[in-house]
Tab-separated table of all heavy atoms in Angstrom:
chain	number	residue	atom	x	y	z
A	178	MET	N	-59.009	-27.979	-19.071
A	178	MET	CA	-58.166	-26.829	-19.067
A	178	MET	C	-58.739	-25.641	-19.834
A	178	MET	O	-58.585	-24.531	-19.511
A	178	MET	CB	-56.740	-27.246	-19.639
A	178	MET	CG	-55.721	-26.049	-19.587
A	178	MET	SD	-55.515	-25.406	-17.854
A	178	MET	CE	-54.873	-26.882	-17.030
A	179	LYS	N	-59.437	-25.968	-20.964
A	179	LYS	CA	-60.070	-24.890	-21.707
A	179	LYS	C	-61.178	-24.191	-20.868
A	179	LYS	O	-61.263	-23.004	-20.914
A	179	LYS	CB	-60.627	-25.476	-23.047
A	179	LYS	CG	-61.438	-24.484	-23.853
A	179	LYS	CD	-60.473	-23.409	-24.436
A	179	LYS	CE	-59.501	-23.981	-25.471
A	179	LYS	NZ	-58.680	-22.873	-26.082
A	180	PHE	N	-61.948	-24.948	-20.156
A	180	PHE	CA	-63.026	-24.353	-19.327
A	180	PHE	C	-62.361	-23.504	-18.251
A	180	PHE	O	-62.758	-22.393	-18.001
A	180	PHE	CB	-63.837	-25.511	-18.638
A	180	PHE	CG	-64.971	-25.949	-19.477
A	180	PHE	CD1	-64.878	-27.011	-20.353
A	180	PHE	CD2	-66.220	-25.302	-19.330
A	180	PHE	CE1	-65.926	-27.477	-21.130
A	180	PHE	CE2	-67.265	-25.778	-20.141
A	180	PHE	CZ	-67.110	-26.843	-21.035
A	181	ILE	N	-61.313	-24.021	-17.632
A	181	ILE	CA	-60.660	-23.283	-16.520
A	181	ILE	C	-60.065	-21.966	-16.999
A	181	ILE	O	-60.243	-20.912	-16.436
A	181	ILE	CB	-59.551	-24.166	-15.925
A	181	ILE	CG1	-60.177	-25.339	-15.105
A	181	ILE	CG2	-58.659	-23.306	-14.928
A	181	ILE	CD1	-59.145	-26.347	-14.635
A	182	THR	N	-59.405	-22.005	-18.216
A	182	THR	CA	-58.862	-20.799	-18.763
A	182	THR	C	-59.844	-19.756	-19.021
A	182	THR	O	-59.673	-18.608	-18.666
A	182	THR	CB	-58.074	-21.181	-20.045
A	182	THR	OG1	-57.038	-22.167	-19.737
A	182	THR	CG2	-57.443	-19.958	-20.680
A	183	ILE	N	-60.897	-20.125	-19.669
A	183	ILE	CA	-61.918	-19.160	-20.040
A	183	ILE	C	-62.705	-18.599	-18.831
A	183	ILE	O	-62.874	-17.419	-18.644
A	183	ILE	CB	-62.923	-19.762	-21.135
A	183	ILE	CG1	-62.201	-19.951	-22.407
A	183	ILE	CG2	-64.140	-18.812	-21.265
A	183	ILE	CD1	-63.029	-20.658	-23.512
A	184	LEU	N	-63.161	-19.578	-17.967
A	184	LEU	CA	-63.997	-19.070	-16.829
A	184	LEU	C	-63.267	-18.359	-15.756
A	184	LEU	O	-63.832	-17.591	-15.034
A	184	LEU	CB	-64.588	-20.372	-16.182
A	184	LEU	CG	-65.562	-21.168	-17.126
A	184	LEU	CD1	-66.129	-22.399	-16.401
A	184	LEU	CD2	-66.776	-20.251	-17.573
A	185	CYS	N	-61.914	-18.517	-15.715
A	185	CYS	CA	-61.111	-17.896	-14.695
A	185	CYS	C	-60.480	-16.583	-15.183
A	185	CYS	O	-60.005	-15.798	-14.327
A	185	CYS	CB	-60.072	-18.782	-14.112
A	185	CYS	SG	-60.760	-20.211	-13.186
A	186	THR	N	-60.350	-16.372	-16.453
A	186	THR	CA	-59.660	-15.195	-16.921
A	186	THR	C	-60.530	-14.197	-17.625
A	186	THR	O	-60.070	-13.154	-18.022
A	186	THR	CB	-58.556	-15.656	-17.925
A	186	THR	OG1	-59.154	-16.250	-19.046
A	186	THR	CG2	-57.545	-16.589	-17.200
A	187	ARG	N	-61.833	-14.527	-17.864
A	187	ARG	CA	-62.786	-13.555	-18.501
A	187	ARG	C	-63.624	-12.795	-17.479
A	187	ARG	O	-63.950	-13.336	-16.403
A	187	ARG	CB	-63.664	-14.229	-19.552
A	187	ARG	CG	-62.939	-15.085	-20.554
A	187	ARG	CD	-62.106	-14.187	-21.512
A	187	ARG	NE	-61.631	-15.016	-22.643
A	187	ARG	CZ	-60.381	-15.399	-22.837
A	187	ARG	NH1	-59.444	-15.128	-21.898
A	187	ARG	NH2	-59.981	-16.110	-23.863
A	188	SER	N	-64.029	-11.591	-17.802
A	188	SER	CA	-64.883	-10.852	-16.912
A	188	SER	C	-66.277	-11.405	-16.876
A	188	SER	O	-66.685	-12.164	-17.749
A	188	SER	CB	-64.982	-9.323	-17.426
A	188	SER	OG	-65.704	-9.322	-18.649
A	189	ALA	N	-67.006	-10.989	-15.864
A	189	ALA	CA	-68.432	-11.494	-15.693
A	189	ALA	C	-69.282	-11.108	-16.917
A	189	ALA	O	-70.031	-11.854	-17.438
A	189	ALA	CB	-69.020	-10.904	-14.446
A	190	THR	N	-69.042	-9.804	-17.375
A	190	THR	CA	-69.812	-9.377	-18.545
A	190	THR	C	-69.471	-10.114	-19.825
A	190	THR	O	-70.372	-10.427	-20.616
A	190	THR	CB	-69.563	-7.876	-18.778
A	190	THR	OG1	-69.818	-7.175	-17.538
A	190	THR	CG2	-70.468	-7.296	-19.877
A	191	HIS	N	-68.210	-10.444	-19.987
A	191	HIS	CA	-67.741	-11.183	-21.061
A	191	HIS	C	-68.437	-12.573	-21.096
A	191	HIS	O	-68.907	-13.059	-22.077
A	191	HIS	CB	-66.171	-11.359	-21.048
A	191	HIS	CG	-65.684	-12.151	-22.226
A	191	HIS	ND1	-65.227	-11.574	-23.413
A	191	HIS	CD2	-65.488	-13.555	-22.338
A	191	HIS	CE1	-64.863	-12.536	-24.211
A	191	HIS	NE2	-65.007	-13.716	-23.621
A	192	LEU	N	-68.491	-13.203	-19.917
A	192	LEU	CA	-69.072	-14.523	-19.843
A	192	LEU	C	-70.593	-14.487	-20.122
A	192	LEU	O	-71.145	-15.443	-20.675
A	192	LEU	CB	-68.807	-15.134	-18.442
A	192	LEU	CG	-67.357	-15.449	-18.141
A	192	LEU	CD1	-67.163	-15.938	-16.706
A	192	LEU	CD2	-66.823	-16.517	-19.063
A	193	LEU	N	-71.213	-13.375	-19.737
A	193	LEU	CA	-72.649	-13.202	-20.099
A	193	LEU	C	-72.746	-13.162	-21.617
A	193	LEU	O	-73.670	-13.716	-22.200
A	193	LEU	CB	-73.163	-11.930	-19.471
A	193	LEU	CG	-73.563	-11.935	-18.050
A	193	LEU	CD1	-73.955	-10.490	-17.559
A	193	LEU	CD2	-74.720	-12.873	-17.761
A	194	ARG	N	-71.816	-12.435	-22.301
A	194	ARG	CA	-71.840	-12.377	-23.745
A	194	ARG	C	-71.667	-13.779	-24.340
A	194	ARG	O	-72.231	-14.172	-25.364
A	194	ARG	CB	-70.791	-11.426	-24.234
A	194	ARG	CG	-70.767	-11.208	-25.735
A	194	ARG	CD	-72.095	-10.639	-26.233
A	194	ARG	NE	-72.061	-10.423	-27.652
A	194	ARG	CZ	-71.779	-9.194	-28.237
A	194	ARG	NH1	-71.469	-8.172	-27.499
A	194	ARG	NH2	-71.765	-9.083	-29.536
A	195	VAL	N	-70.765	-14.570	-23.755
A	195	VAL	CA	-70.551	-15.949	-24.268
A	195	VAL	C	-71.836	-16.720	-24.143
A	195	VAL	O	-72.297	-17.423	-25.030
A	195	VAL	CB	-69.465	-16.627	-23.419
A	195	VAL	CG1	-69.361	-18.132	-23.798
A	195	VAL	CG2	-68.119	-15.983	-23.727
A	196	LYS	N	-72.539	-16.569	-23.018
A	196	LYS	CA	-73.768	-17.226	-22.762
A	196	LYS	C	-74.847	-16.832	-23.827
A	196	LYS	O	-75.550	-17.667	-24.379
A	196	LYS	CB	-74.343	-16.993	-21.387
A	196	LYS	CG	-75.644	-17.716	-21.025
A	196	LYS	CD	-76.044	-17.418	-19.587
A	196	LYS	CE	-77.252	-18.145	-19.207
A	196	LYS	NZ	-77.622	-17.929	-17.773
A	197	CYS	N	-74.814	-15.558	-24.106
A	197	CYS	CA	-75.746	-14.977	-25.156
A	197	CYS	C	-75.505	-15.568	-26.440
A	197	CYS	O	-76.375	-15.901	-27.243
A	197	CYS	CB	-75.617	-13.464	-25.193
A	197	CYS	SG	-76.443	-12.669	-26.477
A	198	THR	N	-74.233	-15.754	-26.805
A	198	THR	CA	-73.726	-16.300	-28.078
A	198	THR	C	-74.244	-17.782	-28.167
A	198	THR	O	-74.678	-18.232	-29.249
A	198	THR	CB	-72.305	-16.194	-28.286
A	198	THR	OG1	-71.868	-14.814	-28.092
A	198	THR	CG2	-71.911	-16.702	-29.633
A	199	GLN	N	-74.217	-18.501	-27.078
A	199	GLN	CA	-74.609	-19.911	-27.120
A	199	GLN	C	-76.085	-20.101	-27.387
A	199	GLN	O	-76.479	-20.941	-28.065
A	199	GLN	CB	-74.162	-20.550	-25.806
A	199	GLN	CG	-72.675	-20.786	-25.711
A	199	GLN	CD	-72.333	-21.548	-24.426
A	199	GLN	OE1	-72.606	-21.013	-23.347
A	199	GLN	NE2	-71.754	-22.726	-24.521
Side-chain angles (χ1 to χ4, degrees):
M178 186 54 65
K179 179 64 70 175
F180 272 93
I181 292 170
T182 300
I183 292 174
L184 296 179
C185 293
T186 62
R187 305 293 191 255
S188 69
T190 307
H191 179 92
L192 293 174
L193 281 174
R194 183 60 179 265
V195 172
K196 184 177 182 180
C197 170
T198 305
Q199 286 182 300

